[in-house]
Amino acid sequence: MKKLLSLVITFALLIALSGCSAKSKSKVETINVGTGTQFPNICFIDKDGELTGYDVELVKEIDKRLPNYKFKFKTMNFSNLLVSLRQNKVDMVAHQMEKSDERSKKFLFNETPYSVFPLKLSVLKDNNEIKDPKDLKGKKVVVSASSNAVPVIKKVSKKQNDNFDIGYAGQGSNDTANQLKTGRADATVTTPFAVDFQNKTSPIKQKSVGPVLSNSKVYFMFNKQNKPLSKDVDKALKEIKEDGTLEKLSKKWLGENYAKSSY
């Protein structure tokens, strides 16, 4: 009788432990992803008021492949993204982030880049004076103060003995285009896919000119203590690349396969 009772108790404990184990394994961790709303084709609000774009849809695809996580977007100005990451208000940043020595000291990048970020000069469509950086002499180039374009255009300026002015865009997603239209600036530095989006959505038409000034790999960013999350994202990202999904997303949102030069 005692032996039978002992077996019943043992069996009950095993069932209880099995239940706890299953419950533990099914726990889902919420990951807050910081991104923006004014980056054409990357992270923006569409005509239906929905957040979408290349980076946004890629994170959604990663979410599908990592069932132990739930990725939730938090939108904000670009200048607040790294501040929010440092303060643990978000766990991850998705906004075409390039590596730099300064950023690498404070934050963690995943290992697998998911795109390249090509930057070229852009001018009004009827501007035939500027075809190359050498044509910027005596001109003014306007860029967003917190964008990847700033160090790129400063490098060009230094190489050309600072023979053109650099200005910065004000508030509003279309201020750069307005400065070009009103003659307050002659050129800007942006991506070909941003120019394409501008031409489809605005009466102010632009064109890309000259060579690629910068073609940097871009990554997701995390806090240093988030290595397990970074590794899991890398695992999903490699699968997305290998099965062709990354190429499809790039062609859909950016017009070309900007993922192919990243590896």
Side-chain angles (χ1 to χ4, degrees), residues 32-73:
N32 291 310
V33 182
T35 192
T37 60
Q38 297 185 345
F39 196 157
N41 291 29
I42 298 295
C43 46
F44 68 103
I45 304 298
D46 67 14
K47 61 182 181 180
D48 298 318
E50 297 294 324
L51 178 68
T52 190
Y54 178 65
D55 282 34
V56 173
E57 299 307 320
L58 176 55
V59 171
K60 288 180 181 178
E61 185 63 34
I62 291 171
D63 191 13
K64 292 178 187 176
R65 302 183 189 222
L66 297 176
N68 52 323
Y69 295 108
K70 175 63 180 175
F71 290 78
K72 181 180 178 182
F73 290 101

Side-chain angles (χ1 to χ4, degrees), residues 41 195-202 205:
N41 291 29
V195 171
D196 180 60
F197 183 86
Q198 168 75 23
N199 291 342
K200 288 178 180 177
T201 59
S202 170
K205 309 301 182 184

Side-chain angles (χ1 to χ4, degrees), residues 71-86:
F71 290 78
K72 181 180 178 182
F73 290 101
K74 283 193 172 183
T75 58
M76 61 195 73
N77 290 333
F78 179 82
S79 58
N80 293 330
L81 285 171
L82 298 190
V83 175
S84 295
L85 183 60
R86 188 167 62 246

Side-chain angles (χ1 to χ4, degrees), residues 54 114-118 193 215 240-241 244-263:
Y54 178 65
Y114 61 91
S115 185
V116 292
F117 193 82
F193 50 80
N215 209 16
I240 291 167
K241 177 211 167 187
T245 303
L246 191 60
E247 180 179 348
K248 289 178 183 177
L249 286 171
S250 183
K251 286 181 176 179
K252 175 182 178 179
W253 292 103
L254 310 182
E256 292 183 34
N257 184 13
Y258 287 104
K260 64 180 179 181
S261 299
S262 298
Y263 306 94

Side-chain angles (χ1 to χ4, degrees), residues 10-257:
T10 301
F11 185 66
L13 284 171
L14 285 171
I15 291 174
L17 287 171
S18 176
C20 288
S21 177
K23 188 175 180 181
S24 174
K25 287 181 180 179
S26 65
K27 185 178 179 182
V28 176
E29 183 181 356
T30 298
I31 303 301
N32 291 310
V33 182
T35 192
T37 60
Q38 297 185 345
F39 196 157
N41 291 29
I42 298 295
C43 46
F44 68 103
I45 304 298
D46 67 14
K47 61 182 181 180
D48 298 318
E50 297 294 324
L51 178 68
T52 190
Y54 178 65
D55 282 34
V56 173
E57 299 307 320
L58 176 55
V59 171
K60 288 180 181 178
E61 185 63 34
I62 291 171
D63 191 13
K64 292 178 187 176
R65 302 183 189 222
L66 297 176
N68 52 323
Y69 295 108
K70 175 63 180 175
F71 290 78
K72 181 180 178 182
F73 290 101
K74 283 193 172 183
T75 58
M76 61 195 73
N77 290 333
F78 179 82
S79 58
N80 293 330
L81 285 171
L82 298 190
V83 175
S84 295
L85 183 60
R86 188 167 62 246
Q87 295 177 349
N88 293 307
K89 293 179 180 179
V90 296
D91 306 295
M92 171 179 166
V93 169
H95 202 292
Q96 295 279 301
M97 305 301 290
E98 297 179 46
K99 281 186 179 181
S100 70
D101 291 339
E102 184 179 355
R103 287 175 176 176
S104 295
K105 288 176 184 177
K106 299 175 182 177
F107 303 104
L108 176 68
F109 290 84
N110 67 298
E111 292 183 1
T112 306
Y114 61 91
S115 185
V116 292
F117 193 82
L119 287 172
K120 299 181 71 174
L121 286 177
S122 175
V123 298
L124 290 178
K125 205 154 192 176
D126 59 359
N127 184 331
N128 295 314
E129 291 183 31
I130 301 174
K131 299 177 182 178
D132 185 271
K134 294 177 182 178
D135 299 325
L136 293 175
K137 183 177 180 181
K139 308 293 185 181
K140 182 178 179 180
V141 180
V142 60
V143 290
S144 175
S146 56
S147 71
N148 301 326
V150 175
V152 171
I153 196 61
K154 283 185 175 180
K155 186 176 180 179
V156 173
S157 179
K158 185 177 180 180
K159 186 178 179 180
Q160 297 185 184
N161 298 315
D162 302 318
N163 65 355
F164 61 88
D165 293 328
I166 299 174
Y168 298 97
Q171 296 299 315
S173 59
N174 224 29
D175 183 68
T176 298
N178 285 325
Q179 287 201 42
L180 295 178
K181 182 182 178 182
T182 58
R184 288 177 289 155
D186 304 286
T188 186
V189 177
T190 188
T191 63
F193 50 80
V195 171
D196 180 60
F197 183 86
Q198 168 75 23
N199 291 342
K200 288 178 180 177
T201 59
S202 170
I204 306 174
K205 309 301 182 184
Q206 298 179 39
K207 63 182 177 182
S208 296
V209 296
V212 173
L213 303 177
S214 173
N215 209 16
S216 303
K217 296 175 182 178
V218 296
Y219 305 80
F220 296 116
M221 290 180 70
F222 311 82
N223 270 321
K224 293 281 189 180
Q225 69 269 24
N226 256 343
K227 285 185 179 180
L229 173 62
S230 176
K231 287 183 178 180
D232 286 342
V233 167
D234 266 317
K235 181 182 177 182
L237 192 52
K238 287 173 183 176
E239 291 176 359
I240 291 167
K241 177 211 167 187
E242 288 169 1
D243 67 16
T245 303
L246 191 60
E247 180 179 348
K248 289 178 183 177
L249 286 171
S250 183
K251 286 181 176 179
K252 175 182 178 179
W253 292 103
L254 310 182
E256 292 183 34
N257 184 13

